[in-house]
Amino acid sequence: MQTRFDHNDLHFSLGEYDFHVSNIVLERFERSIPRHSHSKNSYEIHYIPFGCGTATISGTAYRIVPNTLFVTGPFIEHAQIPNREDPMGEYCIYLKIGRSSSPAASLAEKRLVNRFRQTDFWFGQDGQDIHTLMKQLFFELEHRYTGYSIQAEILLKQLIVKLVRNYEEKTEINTSVNVPNLIDNKYLIIEECFLYEYRTLTLDALASRLGLGIRQTERLLQTHYGKTFLQKKTEARMSAASILLQNPQMSVTQIAENTGYSCVEHFSASFRRYYGQSATAYRKSLNRD
């Protein structure tokens, strides 16, 4: 099950910043989401209305239950594994922020946005009824009645307020972010390609998807992720492999095929280089934990 709204050109201003919303999704997870992170100035808001699972964020495992809310900002690595008996549903909103070309804001708005920007990661139980807001937002985007985009932008502003109010009631981890003027969908395209197409993705295909040349694409990856295309693809494949190895029903050969390797020997060599041990040893270590 997936309901997805993208390319809506939803954007709004708060404080001295513009918020550009690239993607809004409601999905029931029957599959695991491999470890990934987002580029600078990017934030992903996750709200789980039902179901259970686990999120591994910056190397720490967190239990997901209904009414879990978590936010992953720039460079925060995270993966999600649903509970097989009770898979989780998730509202997910992906947005980027940048300096407004014509800032005009009250002190209260500036404080609100600064508080949001300073929180790169937060995990906890929602205390602000975000579920109701999400349902209203999806209603507007689905029915598209007159003025729906205005209503959606108002709801998204309210979401930022509710997030900050949650931050103020719970413990959070804060870091500062430098925000440039560039706002577009390129980073979302990159992250979704590596997340969902790591088996077959090529540099040519990624460049075409971005509307850039090969060298421009490589430069973009180096600038915003500090990695080459091959390093990003290997990272995505190895992250997927580490999750698949948790399934005892899958052989190493099947996992090699599922992660896009032409033969198990090639997969095994890559896995050993990346993790410093064989896939079999890695699987045994999981069983010991």
Side-chain angles (χ1 to χ4, degrees):
M1 178 202 80
Q2 185 185 80
T3 303
R4 183 186 187 100
F5 299 104
D6 49 16
H7 309 300
N8 283 287
D9 194 31
L10 288 175
H11 55 85
F12 60 94
S13 296
L14 273 175
E16 301 171 291
Y17 295 89
D18 289 330
F19 288 66
H20 182 88
V21 182
S22 303
N23 197 11
I24 301 176
V25 180
L26 170 61
E27 183 172 1
R28 182 182 179 90
F29 284 107
E30 305 287 347
R31 60 188 173 85
S32 296
I33 302 297
R35 185 179 72 248
H36 63 288
S37 62
H38 305 296
S39 65
K40 59 185 179 182
N41 322 315
S42 302
Y43 294 80
E44 201 167 52
I45 300 158
H46 311 256
Y47 176 74
I48 288 75
F50 60 85
C52 300
T54 303
T56 301
I57 304 170
S58 298
T60 301
Y62 296 83
R63 184 166 178 262
I64 292 176
V65 296
N67 199 43
T68 292
L69 169 70
F70 66 101
V71 178
T72 48
F75 309 117
I76 300 298
E77 290 192 338
H78 55 290
Q80 290 165 258
I81 303 173
N83 182 302
R84 292 182 184 179
E85 285 69 42
D86 187 16
M88 59 191 171
E90 180 189 81
Y91 290 96
C92 182
I93 296 179
Y94 183 100
L95 54 83
K96 291 186 69 67
I97 64 175
R99 288 279 184 178
S100 174
S101 57
S102 54
S106 66
L107 181 59
E109 280 194 13
K110 292 178 182 178
R111 286 175 176 170
L112 175 72
V113 175
N114 286 337
R115 185 70 175 85
F116 175 79
R117 289 181 57 241
Q118 289 165 1
T119 306
D120 283 351
F121 166 60
W122 189 90
F123 186 101
Q125 284 282 294
D126 169 48
Q128 301 294 324
D129 195 20
I130 282 177
H131 192 191
T132 296
L133 185 149
M134 290 292 192
K135 288 189 288 186
Q136 292 173 339
L137 178 60
F138 271 69
F139 178 87
E140 293 293 341
L141 294 176
E142 180 180 1
H143 293 282
R144 291 177 173 250
Y145 295 140
T146 301
Y148 81 93
S149 62
I150 297 172
Q151 286 281 66
E153 288 161 16
I154 290 171
L155 289 166
L156 288 163
K157 284 187 178 183
Q158 290 179 9
L159 176 60
I160 301 302
V161 173
K162 288 177 179 288
L163 289 174
V164 170
R165 289 181 177 179
N166 271 299
Y167 299 166
E168 290 173 348
E169 293 175 1
K170 308 286 184 179
T171 302
E172 65 273 353
I173 300 171
N174 298 329
T175 57
S176 297
V177 183
N178 293 321
V179 182
N181 290 322
L182 181 65
I183 301 178
D184 56 30
N185 286 335
K186 287 185 173 61
Y187 310 107
L188 178 60
I189 292 171
I190 290 170
E191 288 154 16
E192 289 203 334
C193 282
F194 283 108
L195 189 57
Y196 301 116
E197 301 174 33
Y198 56 82
R199 295 180 70 254
T200 58
L201 186 65
T202 64
L203 179 57
D204 284 344
L206 179 61
S208 176
R209 196 83 58 86
L210 293 169
L212 299 174
I214 298 295
R215 290 184 180 179
Q216 288 175 305
T217 301
E218 283 279 29
R219 196 156 50 241
L220 187 66
L221 293 174
Q222 284 283 6
T223 299
H224 291 277
Y225 298 93
K227 295 172 184 173
T228 66
F229 172 81
L230 287 177
Q231 287 172 330
K232 284 283 289 177
K233 183 170 180 177
T234 298
E235 177 186 65
R237 288 165 127 184
M238 291 297 102
S239 179
S242 70
I243 289 176
L244 293 173
L245 283 164
Q246 296 176 40
N247 181 356
Q249 305 303 318
M250 292 192 73
S251 68
V252 173
T253 298
Q254 288 174 315
I255 292 170
E257 293 174 355
N258 271 271
T259 50
Y261 286 90
S262 57
C263 65
V264 69
E265 290 80 12
H266 187 193
F267 166 78
S268 297
S270 296
F271 192 95
R272 186 181 290 276
R273 279 196 302 271
Y274 193 85
Y275 285 108
Q277 60 182 321
S278 70
T280 302
Y282 184 92
R283 172 173 271 172
K284 288 180 180 177
S285 71
L286 293 174
N287 293 332
R288 286 196 300 267
D289 291 341

